[in-house]
Amino acid sequence: MESSPRRDAGSHDGAALRAGSHGATPGNPAIADTSRSAGTRGTRPGSTLDSELRRYAAKVAIRWSPLISCAVALALIVTLAPTRSAPTSQAQGSGAFGGAASTGRAGGVARSGSRAGTAGRVIPGTAGSATGSASGPIYTALGGAAGAGGGASSAITGSARRATGAGADTSITGIRCVPGARQFTWSAYAPPCVPAFAGNNGGATAHGVTGSTITITFRISTSGEAGVIGASEPLISKGAGTPQQSIADLQTYIRYFNTQFELYGRRVVLKPYQGQGDYLQEDQGQDLGGAQADAQTAYSLGAFGDMSLLYTTQPYAQDLAAAHVIAFGPVYFPQSWFQQYSPFAYSSIATGTKSAQGIVDVVCQRMAGMPAAFAGSPTYHHEVRKFGLITPDNPIYLENAQVVENGLRSCGAPPVRVVQYSFNFGTAASQATSAAAQMKAAGVTTVICLCDPLFPVFLTNAADQQQYHPEWVTQWWNDAYDQSFASDQWSHAISVGQGQTPPLDRQEAYRVFKAADPTSQPAEENFAFAYKSLLQLFDALQMAGPDLTPASFEKAMFSLPTSAPGGQFGTWGFGPGAFTPGQTFKVAWWNPDATSNFDQSAGAWQNCDSSKSYPYADPAALGPAHRQLSCFGSSG
C-alpha cells in the first residue's frame, strides 16, 4: 500500500455507504401516490408526513433498508439491555431505508429467528491481538494538551486503584494529569488524562469483557446480488473499500490506541468473522435469518460491541440489540432512534435530526425569500426560491424529513412539493424521472434532497433529460459519490455537513495512522471513518473506568468534555443523550473542476462562507437573515 497515499473525507458523515436495493412491495408502487403539492399527497387530500408516519407505524413489519449507497450499505446500528444469557432475536419492526428489521426487547430475550445461529468462522490472521507498542512516536503536531475538561478524578465512572509513589499522577502516555489535561496531545478528541492504573480491574464485568480483553467483532458480509448493481460497481469501489481493507485499518489503529488510552489492564481485541447474512437482501427486508444468525455469532465470539461500520445493516443492528451487543455506526438516524435503543446505539456521525435542523437553519437564514442565485437555469435567478423536498419513504428517514418540512413552514418557506421514493435499485430510474418531473411542474427552484448517495445518480440524469436545472441542497456525502452525479446539475449543489476534505497531511486520521505505522498507508479510502469511530469507542472506554458495562459505557460517553478546537471532524460535544458527538457543520458547494483530496479525482466539495463552522440548531450563528451564502466562487 506504499505506492500512493489514500485520501479520505475525514469522516464518513456520509462517507461511503453500501449499495443496496429495496424491493417493491405490494401496495407501495415506487413513487406513485407519494408526491404532495401544497398539502395534498397523491389522491389523498390533506395527507401529511405525520399521517404517513402513523400509517407506516401500523405496518411496522414491512420493508425498507438503510439508505445505503453506492458502496456499502448505509450503516444502521443498535442494541438493547445487557444480559449474560445466550441471545436470540425476533424478526420484527421496520428497518431503516429498506427491509424489515428485528427489534430487540429490553429486559428480556427475544424469540429466535428463522435460521439457527451457527458459530461464525473467525478469519485466520485477522483477529489480531492488538498488542505491542506503536512503531512511531506520539504525534504531537496538534500542540500541547488538547483543550480543557474535567480533572482526571471526574473522568472515571468506576472505582479504580491508582499507582502510588513517584509518577503516580502520570498517564501511560507520559502526560502529568493535572486538572484540564488530556490523555495525549495527538488528537483534539483526547479524553481527560487518567493516571496509569494499577490494581484489580474486576475481571469479567460484562459480556465481552475479561480481566485482560474487550472484544469487538466485525462481520464480513457479502452479497449474491452484487450483479444487480451492474454499472454502479465502479462507484462502489470508489465510495468504500472491501471489508478486509476496513479490518486492516481498524487493526492498525487499535494496536496504537491500546498503547495510548487507559484501559485498566485490558486491551481491545478485534475479531472479524465471515457472516452468513447477505447485506443487500437484508437492506430489502429479506434474509433476516442470516442477520439473526450473525448477531448470535457475534455474541458467541464474546463481543462487547460490534464495529462492522458500513457493513452493518438495520436488521443486523436490530439483532445485535436483541443479543445485547453494542453496535456502532448508524448514519443520519433520528435522535428518537438512538433513545429507543439506549444504552446500546452510538455513531460518530451526527444524528439525522441534527442534520435536518442544520439544513433548516441554512435554508431559512441564508436562502429563503431571496432569488435562486445558484440555479443552473438563468430564469430562476430572478425568482424567489420555491423549495421542494425529496426523501426516502421509510419511517426513520421520514422523521428527518418532517423536521425539514416543519422548519421551512415555521420560517414562511414551506415546500411546494414533497416527493417520497422507495429504496429500490430496479425502479430507481423511473422513480427519479417522476420526481424530477414533479419538481419541475411545481416550479421548484431549489430541491432539498434528503437522499441516499445512490438516488441522485438517477435523479440528476433525469433532471438533465427534462431540461430542468434547479439549485440543489443536500446532506453531505463524500466526494467519491458525488463525482458520479451529473456534473452540470451538481455544480449547483450545496451540502450541509462535513464540508471540504482537507489535504492528506492535514488530516488527523492520517497523521495518527502514520504514527501507528510509519511504513504503511491506510488500506481503505474511508480510513477516517474507522478512525473517528474508534476514537469515540476508546474515549468512552477510558472514561468508563475498570467497572466496564454497557451502562457505565453510556454514562462515560455522556460525561466526555467538549473537544479541543481545530479537530478534523469539527466540534464534539456530549452531555445527556449525546449518542453522536458532532456539534457543528460546514456549508459547502460542489466544484466539478476541483481535484478531490479524497481520491485525487475531478470533483470535490469546497467550503462556503470562508470555511466557517456553525453549531446545529443555532440559526443566529449563520449571521443576519436574507444574506446569500458565499459559495460558488464569486457567485455568492
Side-chain angles (χ1 to χ4, degrees):
M1 300 306 299
E2 296 230 35
S3 55
S4 63
R6 299 279 183 169
R7 269 71 176 168
D8 179 62
S11 88
H12 156 147
D13 285 77
L17 300 185
R18 282 181 276 90
S21 58
H22 169 67
T25 56
N28 181 40
I31 216 165
D33 290 337
T34 60
S35 65
R36 174 159 46 87
S37 177
T40 61
R41 187 180 305 281
T43 58
R44 300 188 300 276
S47 176
T48 65
L49 282 176
D50 284 327
S51 64
E52 287 295 322
L53 289 170
R54 289 192 295 272
R55 181 168 65 87
Y56 272 99
K59 298 181 178 181
V60 81
I62 36 185
R63 75 235 200 334
W64 55 278
S65 84
L67 116 339
I68 310 343
S69 87
C70 336
V72 191
L74 176 186
L76 318 167
I77 264 173
V78 187
T79 32
L80 283 175
T83 182
R84 298 181 185 177
S85 59
T88 53
S89 60
Q90 178 181 8
Q92 182 177 346
S94 55
F97 266 139
S102 48
T103 303
R105 302 295 184 186
V109 178
R111 296 192 299 273
S112 61
S114 59
R115 176 159 32 157
T118 57
R121 180 169 59 87
V122 177
I123 307 303
T126 57
S129 65
T131 59
S133 59
S135 52
I138 297 175
Y139 189 79
T140 58
L142 293 178
S153 61
S154 65
I156 308 303
T157 60
S159 58
R161 283 180 53 196
R162 307 290 184 203
T164 59
D169 62 349
T170 302
S171 74
I172 60 173
T173 62
I175 300 293
R176 186 163 176 264
C177 296
V178 297
R182 300 291 181 114
Q183 180 72 5
F184 37 73
T185 63
W186 47 260
S187 175
Y189 308 100
C193 184
V194 173
F197 174 79
N200 184 349
N201 62 16
T205 57
H207 182 78
V209 180
T210 71
S212 60
T213 61
I214 302 164
T215 297
I216 304 295
T217 51
F218 185 108
R219 176 180 75 150
I220 298 175
S221 177
T222 57
S223 176
E225 295 186 336
V228 174
I229 301 168
S232 295
E233 287 182 355
L235 177 61
I236 293 169
S237 64
K238 288 177 64 178
T242 65
Q244 289 75 15
Q245 288 174 325
S246 296
I247 291 166
D249 291 341
L250 285 168
Q251 294 285 28
T252 297
Y253 284 125
I254 287 172
R255 283 192 294 270
Y256 189 55
F257 284 11
N258 277 334
T259 70
Q260 302 294 300
F261 287 84
E262 180 57 68
L263 301 179
Y264 312 98
R266 302 183 179 104
R267 57 187 171 83
V268 170
V269 175
L270 183 69
K271 290 186 178 179
Y273 72 94
Q274 182 64 56
Q276 298 181 38
D278 182 317
Y279 67 83
L280 286 179
Q281 290 188 17
E282 291 171 17
D283 288 339
Q284 299 172 82
Q286 304 166 12
D287 192 28
L288 299 185
Q292 294 163 356
D294 289 346
Q296 292 196 19
T297 296
Y299 182 93
S300 70
L301 290 172
F304 176 74
D306 182 273
M307 193 166 283
S308 299
L309 300 177
L310 305 179
Y311 299 90
T312 302
T313 64
Q314 171 115 6
Y316 180 52
Q318 301 282 123
D319 288 314
L320 286 171
H324 311 294
V325 175
I326 298 176
F328 300 87
V331 177
Y332 292 142
F333 274 35
Q335 178 71 12
S336 63
W337 187 86
F338 288 94
Q339 291 172 336
Q340 178 183 354
Y341 291 102
S342 170
F344 295 95
Y346 306 95
S347 177
S348 61
I349 309 303
T351 64
T353 306
K354 287 181 182 177
S355 177
Q357 188 60 56
I359 289 175
V360 168
D361 292 348
V362 170
V363 168
C364 288
Q365 198 76 0
R366 303 290 296 278
M367 300 184 77
M370 293 179 287
F374 308 138
S377 174
T379 59
Y380 291 149
H381 294 176
H382 307 290
E383 295 185 19
V384 174
R385 290 183 172 100
K386 293 181 180 178
F387 297 97
L389 176 61
I390 299 178
T391 175
D393 65 357
N394 67 74
I396 291 290
Y397 291 92
L398 281 175
E399 187 171 331
N400 297 335
Q402 189 71 68
V403 171
V404 173
E405 184 173 3
N406 290 345
L408 267 60
R409 289 186 182 281
S410 69
C411 72
V416 298
R417 178 72 62 169
V418 175
V419 175
Q420 298 173 17
Y421 69 91
S422 298
F423 192 80
N424 183 332
F425 188 88
T427 63
S430 61
Q431 292 189 80
T433 297
S434 175
Q438 293 182 58
M439 292 291 149
K440 182 178 181 180
V444 171
T445 68
T446 308
V447 178
I448 301 172
C449 190
L450 297 184
C451 306
D452 68 88
L454 178 60
F455 192 67
V457 174
F458 302 95
L459 184 60
T460 54
N461 286 332
D464 268 351
Q465 292 166 6
Q466 298 177 39
Q467 298 297 305
Y468 175 49
H469 298 280
E471 297 175 321
W472 299 88
V473 178
T474 180
Q475 298 171 125
W476 184 93
W477 303 108
N478 74 33
D479 292 350
Y481 289 117
D482 299 80
Q483 290 163 4
S484 298
F485 306 161
S487 63
D488 64 317
Q489 292 286 338
W490 221 236
S491 62
H492 303 279
I494 293 170
S495 71
V496 174
Q498 179 70 26
Q500 184 174 347
T501 301
L504 198 64
D505 61 359
R506 289 172 48 200
Q507 294 186 34
E508 178 183 307
Y510 180 74
R511 296 185 298 204
V512 174
F513 187 95
K514 296 300 289 183
D517 187 353
T519 65
S520 300
Q521 298 291 342
E524 201 254 318
E525 286 176 335
N526 277 311
F527 65 91
F529 183 42
Y531 173 75
K532 70 186 297 191
S533 298
L534 285 172
L535 269 180
Q536 184 185 24
L537 167 67
F538 275 79
D539 278 354
L541 288 176
Q542 174 164 313
M543 201 80 162
D547 186 15
L548 178 61
T549 67
S552 68
F553 183 89
E554 180 184 72
K555 182 179 179 181
M557 185 74 71
F558 295 169
S559 301
L560 284 161
T562 301
S563 64
Q568 179 180 345
F569 312 114
T571 300
W572 280 11
F574 298 89
F579 303 101
T580 67
Q583 298 294 313
T584 58
F585 65 87
K586 290 185 177 181
V587 183
W589 63 283
W590 182 254
N591 185 348
D593 300 320
T595 299
S596 170
N597 291 323
F598 181 86
D599 60 4
Q600 296 301 294
S601 298
W605 289 112
Q606 297 195 322
N607 293 331
C608 299
D609 287 356
S610 302
S611 299
K612 292 180 181 177
S613 294
Y614 300 106
Y616 289 104
D618 184 6
L622 284 152
H626 303 297
R627 179 171 60 90
Q628 292 274 26
L629 289 164
S630 179
C631 301
F632 301 93
S634 60
S635 299

Short mmCIF file of all heavy atoms in Angstrom, two decimals, residues 280-323:
data_model
loop_
_atom_site.label_atom_id
_atom_site.label_comp_id
_atom_site.label_asym_id
_atom_site.label_seq_id
_atom_site.Cartn_x
_atom_site.Cartn_y
_atom_site.Cartn_z
N LEU A 280 -27.26 -7.05 0.95
CA LEU A 280 -28.23 -6.46 0.03
C LEU A 280 -29.62 -7.00 0.28
O LEU A 280 -30.61 -6.26 0.22
CB LEU A 280 -27.81 -6.72 -1.42
CG LEU A 280 -26.62 -5.90 -1.93
CD1 LEU A 280 -26.31 -6.28 -3.38
CD2 LEU A 280 -26.91 -4.42 -1.83
N GLN A 281 -29.72 -8.29 0.58
CA GLN A 281 -31.03 -8.85 0.89
C GLN A 281 -31.55 -8.27 2.21
O GLN A 281 -32.75 -7.98 2.33
CB GLN A 281 -30.95 -10.37 0.96
CG GLN A 281 -30.74 -11.03 -0.40
CD GLN A 281 -30.86 -12.54 -0.33
OE1 GLN A 281 -31.39 -13.10 0.64
NE2 GLN A 281 -30.35 -13.22 -1.35
N GLU A 282 -30.68 -8.12 3.18
CA GLU A 282 -31.10 -7.54 4.45
C GLU A 282 -31.62 -6.12 4.26
O GLU A 282 -32.60 -5.72 4.88
CB GLU A 282 -29.94 -7.55 5.44
CG GLU A 282 -29.54 -8.93 5.91
CD GLU A 282 -28.26 -8.93 6.72
OE1 GLU A 282 -27.84 -7.86 7.18
OE2 GLU A 282 -27.68 -10.02 6.89
N ASP A 283 -30.96 -5.37 3.39
CA ASP A 283 -31.41 -4.00 3.13
C ASP A 283 -32.81 -3.97 2.52
O ASP A 283 -33.50 -2.96 2.62
CB ASP A 283 -30.44 -3.30 2.18
CG ASP A 283 -29.12 -2.96 2.86
OD1 ASP A 283 -29.11 -2.90 4.10
OD2 ASP A 283 -28.12 -2.77 2.16
N GLN A 284 -33.20 -5.06 1.90
CA GLN A 284 -34.53 -5.15 1.30
C GLN A 284 -35.53 -5.87 2.19
O GLN A 284 -36.64 -6.17 1.78
CB GLN A 284 -34.43 -5.88 -0.05
CG GLN A 284 -33.53 -5.17 -1.05
CD GLN A 284 -33.30 -6.01 -2.29
OE1 GLN A 284 -34.14 -6.03 -3.19
NE2 GLN A 284 -32.19 -6.71 -2.32
N GLY A 285 -35.11 -6.17 3.42
CA GLY A 285 -36.01 -6.84 4.33
C GLY A 285 -36.07 -8.33 4.13
O GLY A 285 -36.99 -8.99 4.62
N GLN A 286 -35.09 -8.88 3.44
CA GLN A 286 -35.04 -10.32 3.18
C GLN A 286 -33.88 -10.93 3.94
O GLN A 286 -33.01 -10.23 4.45
CB GLN A 286 -34.89 -10.56 1.67
CG GLN A 286 -35.98 -9.92 0.83
CD GLN A 286 -35.63 -9.87 -0.65
OE1 GLN A 286 -34.69 -10.51 -1.10
NE2 GLN A 286 -36.40 -9.10 -1.41
N ASP A 287 -33.85 -12.28 4.00
CA ASP A 287 -32.76 -13.00 4.67
C ASP A 287 -32.54 -12.51 6.09
O ASP A 287 -31.42 -12.35 6.55
CB ASP A 287 -31.46 -12.87 3.88
CG ASP A 287 -30.38 -13.85 4.37
OD1 ASP A 287 -30.75 -14.91 4.88
OD2 ASP A 287 -29.18 -13.52 4.25
N LEU A 288 -33.64 -12.26 6.80
CA LEU A 288 -33.49 -11.80 8.18
C LEU A 288 -32.88 -12.87 9.08
O LEU A 288 -32.24 -12.55 10.07
CB LEU A 288 -34.85 -11.37 8.73
CG LEU A 288 -35.54 -10.21 7.97
CD1 LEU A 288 -36.81 -9.79 8.70
CD2 LEU A 288 -34.60 -9.04 7.82
N GLY A 289 -33.08 -14.12 8.69
CA GLY A 289 -32.46 -15.19 9.47
C GLY A 289 -30.95 -15.12 9.45
O GLY A 289 -30.28 -15.46 10.42
N GLY A 290 -30.40 -14.67 8.33
CA GLY A 290 -28.94 -14.52 8.24
C GLY A 290 -28.44 -13.46 9.19
O GLY A 290 -27.41 -13.63 9.84
N ALA A 291 -29.15 -12.33 9.27
CA ALA A 291 -28.75 -11.27 10.20
C ALA A 291 -28.84 -11.76 11.64
O ALA A 291 -27.97 -11.47 12.47
CB ALA A 291 -29.64 -10.04 9.99
N GLN A 292 -29.89 -12.52 11.95
CA GLN A 292 -30.06 -13.04 13.30
C GLN A 292 -28.95 -14.02 13.66
O GLN A 292 -28.39 -13.98 14.77
CB GLN A 292 -31.42 -13.72 13.42
CG GLN A 292 -32.59 -12.73 13.28
CD GLN A 292 -33.90 -13.42 12.98
OE1 GLN A 292 -33.95 -14.63 12.80
NE2 GLN A 292 -34.97 -12.64 12.90
N ALA A 293 -28.62 -14.88 12.69
CA ALA A 293 -27.55 -15.84 12.94
C ALA A 293 -26.23 -15.12 13.17
O ALA A 293 -25.45 -15.51 14.05
CB ALA A 293 -27.44 -16.81 11.76
N ASP A 294 -25.99 -14.07 12.41
CA ASP A 294 -24.73 -13.35 12.55
C ASP A 294 -24.65 -12.61 13.89
O ASP A 294 -23.58 -12.54 14.51
CB ASP A 294 -24.55 -12.37 11.39
CG ASP A 294 -24.26 -13.07 10.07
OD1 ASP A 294 -23.93 -14.28 10.11
OD2 ASP A 294 -24.37 -12.42 9.02
N ALA A 295 -25.75 -12.06 14.33
CA ALA A 295 -25.75 -11.40 15.64
C ALA A 295 -25.45 -12.41 16.75
O ALA A 295 -24.72 -12.12 17.70
CB ALA A 295 -27.08 -10.71 15.89
N GLN A 296 -25.99 -13.61 16.62
CA GLN A 296 -25.70 -14.64 17.61
C GLN A 296 -24.24 -15.07 17.53
O GLN A 296 -23.62 -15.38 18.55
CB GLN A 296 -26.63 -15.84 17.42
CG GLN A 296 -28.08 -15.52 17.75
CD GLN A 296 -28.94 -16.76 17.92
OE1 GLN A 296 -28.43 -17.85 18.14
NE2 GLN A 296 -30.24 -16.58 17.82
N THR A 297 -23.69 -15.07 16.32
CA THR A 297 -22.27 -15.39 16.18
C THR A 297 -21.42 -14.34 16.89
O THR A 297 -20.45 -14.68 17.60
CB THR A 297 -21.88 -15.47 14.69
OG1 THR A 297 -22.57 -16.55 14.08
CG2 THR A 297 -20.38 -15.66 14.53
N ALA A 298 -21.75 -13.06 16.69
CA ALA A 298 -21.01 -12.00 17.37
C ALA A 298 -21.05 -12.22 18.89
O ALA A 298 -20.03 -12.10 19.58
CB ALA A 298 -21.58 -10.63 17.01
N TYR A 299 -22.22 -12.55 19.39
CA TYR A 299 -22.35 -12.82 20.81
C TYR A 299 -21.49 -14.01 21.23
O TYR A 299 -20.79 -13.97 22.24
CB TYR A 299 -23.81 -13.07 21.17
CG TYR A 299 -24.06 -13.30 22.64
CD1 TYR A 299 -24.40 -12.25 23.48
CD2 TYR A 299 -23.95 -14.58 23.19
CE1 TYR A 299 -24.62 -12.46 24.84
CE2 TYR A 299 -24.17 -14.79 24.55
CZ TYR A 299 -24.51 -13.73 25.36
OH TYR A 299 -24.71 -13.94 26.70
N SER A 300 -21.54 -15.08 20.43
CA SER A 300 -20.79 -16.29 20.79
C SER A 300 -19.29 -16.06 20.73
O SER A 300 -18.53 -16.77 21.40
CB SER A 300 -21.18 -17.44 19.85
OG SER A 300 -20.68 -17.21 18.53
N LEU A 301 -18.84 -15.08 19.95
CA LEU A 301 -17.43 -14.73 19.90
C LEU A 301 -17.03 -13.83 21.06
O LEU A 301 -15.87 -13.42 21.16
CB LEU A 301 -17.10 -14.03 18.57
CG LEU A 301 -17.15 -14.91 17.33
CD1 LEU A 301 -16.99 -14.06 16.07
CD2 LEU A 301 -16.07 -15.99 17.38
N GLY A 302 -17.98 -13.53 21.92
CA GLY A 302 -17.69 -12.75 23.12
C GLY A 302 -17.67 -11.26 22.89
O GLY A 302 -16.90 -10.54 23.52
N ALA A 303 -18.52 -10.77 22.00
CA ALA A 303 -18.50 -9.35 21.65
C ALA A 303 -19.11 -8.47 22.73
O ALA A 303 -20.25 -8.68 23.14
CB ALA A 303 -19.24 -9.12 20.34
N PHE A 304 -18.35 -7.50 23.17
CA PHE A 304 -18.91 -6.40 23.96
C PHE A 304 -19.59 -5.40 23.02
O PHE A 304 -20.61 -4.81 23.34
CB PHE A 304 -17.79 -5.70 24.75
CG PHE A 304 -18.24 -4.49 25.53
CD1 PHE A 304 -18.98 -4.63 26.69
CD2 PHE A 304 -17.92 -3.21 25.10
CE1 PHE A 304 -19.40 -3.52 27.42
CE2 PHE A 304 -18.32 -2.09 25.82
CZ PHE A 304 -19.07 -2.24 26.98
N GLY A 305 -19.00 -5.23 21.85
CA GLY A 305 -19.56 -4.36 20.83
C GLY A 305 -19.21 -4.88 19.45
O GLY A 305 -18.39 -5.78 19.29
N ASP A 306 -19.86 -4.33 18.45
CA ASP A 306 -19.62 -4.71 17.06
C ASP A 306 -19.34 -3.45 16.26
O ASP A 306 -20.09 -2.46 16.36
CB ASP A 306 -20.81 -5.45 16.47
CG ASP A 306 -20.57 -5.90 15.05
OD1 ASP A 306 -20.84 -5.11 14.12
OD2 ASP A 306 -20.10 -7.04 14.85
N MET A 307 -18.27 -3.45 15.47
CA MET A 307 -17.90 -2.30 14.67
C MET A 307 -17.75 -2.73 13.21
O MET A 307 -16.67 -2.65 12.62
CB MET A 307 -16.64 -1.64 15.19
CG MET A 307 -16.38 -0.27 14.60
SD MET A 307 -15.12 0.67 15.50
CE MET A 307 -16.03 1.21 16.94
N SER A 308 -18.83 -3.21 12.63
CA SER A 308 -18.82 -3.58 11.23
C SER A 308 -18.98 -2.37 10.32
O SER A 308 -18.98 -2.51 9.09
CB SER A 308 -19.93 -4.60 10.94
OG SER A 308 -19.75 -5.79 11.69
N LEU A 309 -19.16 -1.20 10.93
CA LEU A 309 -19.19 0.07 10.21
C LEU A 309 -20.19 0.02 9.06
O LEU A 309 -21.35 -0.24 9.26
CB LEU A 309 -17.78 0.44 9.74
CG LEU A 309 -16.75 0.61 10.87
CD1 LEU A 309 -15.37 0.91 10.30
CD2 LEU A 309 -17.17 1.69 11.84
N LEU A 310 -19.73 0.24 7.82
CA LEU A 310 -20.65 0.36 6.70
C LEU A 310 -21.30 -0.95 6.30
O LEU A 310 -22.19 -0.96 5.46
CB LEU A 310 -19.90 0.95 5.50
CG LEU A 310 -19.19 2.27 5.77
CD1 LEU A 310 -18.47 2.74 4.54
CD2 LEU A 310 -20.16 3.32 6.25
N TYR A 311 -20.85 -2.04 6.87
CA TYR A 311 -21.43 -3.35 6.57
C TYR A 311 -22.49 -3.74 7.60
O TYR A 311 -22.91 -4.88 7.66
CB TYR A 311 -20.32 -4.39 6.49
CG TYR A 311 -19.33 -4.09 5.40
CD1 TYR A 311 -18.20 -3.32 5.66
CD2 TYR A 311 -19.55 -4.50 4.09
CE1 TYR A 311 -17.30 -2.99 4.65
CE2 TYR A 311 -18.66 -4.18 3.08
CZ TYR A 311 -17.53 -3.43 3.36
OH TYR A 311 -16.66 -3.10 2.35
N THR A 312 -22.91 -2.80 8.39
CA THR A 312 -23.95 -3.05 9.39
C THR A 312 -25.29 -2.61 8.82
O THR A 312 -25.54 -1.43 8.64
CB THR A 312 -23.67 -2.28 10.68
OG1 THR A 312 -22.40 -2.65 11.19
CG2 THR A 312 -24.73 -2.58 11.73
N THR A 313 -26.14 -3.57 8.54
CA THR A 313 -27.49 -3.24 8.08
C THR A 313 -28.40 -3.04 9.27
O THR A 313 -28.08 -3.43 10.40
CB THR A 313 -28.05 -4.37 7.20
OG1 THR A 313 -28.19 -5.55 8.01
CG2 THR A 313 -27.13 -4.66 6.03
N GLN A 314 -29.58 -2.49 9.01
CA GLN A 314 -30.52 -2.32 10.11
C GLN A 314 -30.95 -3.64 10.72
O GLN A 314 -30.98 -3.78 11.94
CB GLN A 314 -31.75 -1.53 9.66
CG GLN A 314 -32.85 -1.51 10.71
CD GLN A 314 -33.12 -0.14 11.26
OE1 GLN A 314 -32.56 0.84 10.80
NE2 GLN A 314 -33.98 -0.07 12.23
N PRO A 315 -31.29 -4.68 9.91
CA PRO A 315 -31.65 -5.95 10.55
C PRO A 315 -30.54 -6.49 11.44
O PRO A 315 -30.79 -6.97 12.55
CB PRO A 315 -31.92 -6.87 9.36
CG PRO A 315 -32.35 -5.95 8.27
CD PRO A 315 -31.51 -4.72 8.45
N TYR A 316 -29.30 -6.41 10.97
CA TYR A 316 -28.19 -6.91 11.78
C TYR A 316 -28.05 -6.11 13.06
O TYR A 316 -27.86 -6.65 14.15
CB TYR A 316 -26.89 -6.84 10.96
CG TYR A 316 -25.66 -7.32 11.70
CD1 TYR A 316 -25.63 -8.57 12.31
CD2 TYR A 316 -24.51 -6.54 11.74
CE1 TYR A 316 -24.49 -9.01 12.96
CE2 TYR A 316 -23.36 -6.98 12.39
CZ TYR A 316 -23.35 -8.22 13.01
OH TYR A 316 -22.22 -8.66 13.66
N ALA A 317 -28.17 -4.80 12.95
CA ALA A 317 -28.06 -3.96 14.15
C ALA A 317 -29.18 -4.27 15.13
O ALA A 317 -28.95 -4.32 16.34
CB ALA A 317 -28.10 -2.49 13.74
N GLN A 318 -30.38 -4.47 14.61
CA GLN A 318 -31.51 -4.79 15.50
C GLN A 318 -31.27 -6.12 16.21
O GLN A 318 -31.62 -6.28 17.38
CB GLN A 318 -32.80 -4.85 14.69
CG GLN A 318 -33.17 -3.56 13.96
CD GLN A 318 -33.78 -2.51 14.87
OE1 GLN A 318 -33.27 -1.40 14.94
NE2 GLN A 318 -34.83 -2.84 15.54
N ASP A 319 -30.69 -7.07 15.51
CA ASP A 319 -30.42 -8.36 16.13
C ASP A 319 -29.26 -8.30 17.10
O ASP A 319 -29.22 -9.04 18.08
CB ASP A 319 -30.18 -9.42 15.05
CG ASP A 319 -31.47 -9.78 14.32
OD1 ASP A 319 -32.48 -10.00 15.01
OD2 ASP A 319 -31.47 -9.83 13.09
N LEU A 320 -28.30 -7.42 16.83
CA LEU A 320 -27.27 -7.17 17.83
C LEU A 320 -27.90 -6.64 19.11
O LEU A 320 -27.50 -6.99 20.23
CB LEU A 320 -26.23 -6.18 17.31
CG LEU A 320 -25.25 -6.69 16.25
CD1 LEU A 320 -24.45 -5.53 15.67
CD2 LEU A 320 -24.32 -7.75 16.83
N ALA A 321 -28.90 -5.79 18.95
CA ALA A 321 -29.60 -5.26 20.11
C ALA A 321 -30.24 -6.38 20.92
O ALA A 321 -30.14 -6.43 22.15
CB ALA A 321 -30.66 -4.26 19.67
N ALA A 322 -30.90 -7.30 20.20
CA ALA A 322 -31.52 -8.42 20.90
C ALA A 322 -30.49 -9.30 21.58
O ALA A 322 -30.76 -9.92 22.60
CB ALA A 322 -32.35 -9.25 19.92
N ALA A 323 -29.28 -9.31 21.02
CA ALA A 323 -28.20 -10.11 21.60
C ALA A 323 -27.43 -9.35 22.66
O ALA A 323 -26.48 -9.87 23.24
CB ALA A 323 -27.24 -10.56 20.50
#
